[in-house]
């Protein structure tokens, strides 16, 4: 399988040759390489997250890349009904175990700690999931969120190739 995807970063002194590894408890699916399936959302993300957060240059850049992997190394929670329900069931199973043990719902950080500790997707290299809709700036019908804002998380850098700079965007 192959996917063409987009990676957004703040402008740096040297153009990146490879995507940046996202680390930390605030990422939806833990540490990994995060991409957007659609260019327009990589641009929206740049304005929302790369420009307004500690970016002195008032610029961000977008890269295009190709992901190549086998079907069995992929969880598609967006377009594959079986993968979606299996994914949801596993997350909710973890949440119920956590609630039974600690008497509260787990936070994203606690869920990501669980992912790091147990590696439930050990043989999975790519997960496609739907992000929250956001502001709706990419929609042609105001207030109707008909487009899926799709992210891809990669945990094996070997599936990433053809990482190329597309453009800098100067924020005004």
């Amino acid at each position: 399988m192959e996917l063409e995807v987009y990676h957004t970063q703040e402008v740096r002194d040297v153009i990146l040759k490879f995507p940046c590894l996202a680390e930390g408890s605030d990422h939806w699916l833990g540490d990994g390489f995060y991409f957007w399936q659609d260019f327009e959302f990589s641009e929206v993300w740049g304005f929302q997250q790369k420009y307004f957060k500690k970016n002195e240059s008032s610029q961000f850049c977008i890269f295009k890349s190709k992901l190549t992997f086998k079907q069995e190394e992929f969880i598609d929670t967006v377009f594959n009904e079986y993968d979606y329900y299996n994914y949801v069931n596993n997350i909710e199973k973890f949440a119920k175990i956590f609630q039974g043990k600690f008497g509260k719902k787990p936070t994203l950080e606690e869920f990501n700690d669980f992912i790091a500790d147990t590696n439930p997707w050990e043989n999975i290299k790519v997960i496609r999931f739907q992000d929250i809709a956001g502001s709706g700036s990419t929609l042609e019908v105001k207030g109707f969120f008909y487009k899926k804002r799709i992210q891809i998380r990669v945990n094996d850098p070997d599936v990433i190739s053809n990482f190329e700079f597309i453009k800098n965007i100067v924020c005004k």
Side-chain angles (χ1 to χ4, degrees):
M1 294 187 68
E2 287 186 359
L3 292 175
E4 183 176 273
V5 294
Y6 302 91
H7 186 73
T8 307
Q9 284 297 325
E10 63 274 358
V11 170
R12 298 162 190 241
D13 292 335
V14 177
I15 293 178
L16 294 174
K17 301 288 184 210
F18 202 76
C20 294
L21 176 65
E23 298 178 289
S25 60
D26 58 339
H27 301 289
W28 288 40
L29 294 171
D31 297 348
F33 299 92
Y34 283 79
F35 297 90
W36 292 100
Q37 182 157 317
D38 299 303
F39 176 83
E40 67 185 330
F41 289 117
S42 68
E43 202 169 37
V44 169
W45 183 256
F47 282 109
Q48 291 175 344
Q49 299 294 324
K50 296 300 177 181
Y51 168 57
F52 294 115
K53 290 187 176 180
K54 301 179 279 183
N55 185 346
E56 295 177 16
S57 73
S58 297
Q59 299 179 60
F60 62 91
C61 50
I62 299 175
F63 299 83
K64 181 168 65 171
S65 192
K66 182 171 75 171
L67 308 179
T68 307
F69 49 90
K70 297 175 186 166
Q71 178 68 40
E72 61 270 15
E73 300 169 329
F74 180 52
I75 296 175
D76 183 357
T77 71
V78 179
F79 299 111
N80 182 303
E81 185 176 8
Y82 174 82
D83 282 359
Y84 169 73
Y85 285 113
N86 191 36
Y87 171 83
V88 168
N89 288 336
N90 281 315
I91 291 171
E92 290 179 351
K93 180 180 174 183
F94 155 75
K96 286 177 183 163
I97 293 169
F98 187 95
Q99 288 173 20
K101 189 173 184 178
F102 298 105
K104 65 176 187 135
K105 288 183 178 183
T107 64
L108 179 60
E109 181 177 356
E110 290 162 334
F111 177 68
N112 283 332
D113 287 345
F114 164 77
I115 290 173
D117 292 345
T118 63
N119 198 11
W121 298 303
E122 181 177 4
N123 297 321
I124 300 301
K125 296 181 179 183
V126 179
I127 298 176
R128 177 166 41 195
F129 63 101
Q130 185 170 336
D131 189 10
I132 55 174
S135 68
S137 62
T138 62
L139 303 174
E140 297 299 324
V141 179
K142 188 176 182 176
F144 179 37
F145 293 91
Y146 59 91
K147 286 185 180 179
K148 293 181 180 190
R149 188 171 133 154
I150 301 169
Q151 283 193 309
I152 289 109
R153 179 218 179 231
V154 173
N155 68 351
D156 182 349
D158 291 338
V159 306
I160 303 167
S161 64
N162 297 349
F163 187 74
E164 64 181 82
F165 171 80
I166 294 182
K167 69 184 212 175
N168 273 355
I169 298 174
V170 178
C171 305
K172 296 177 183 179

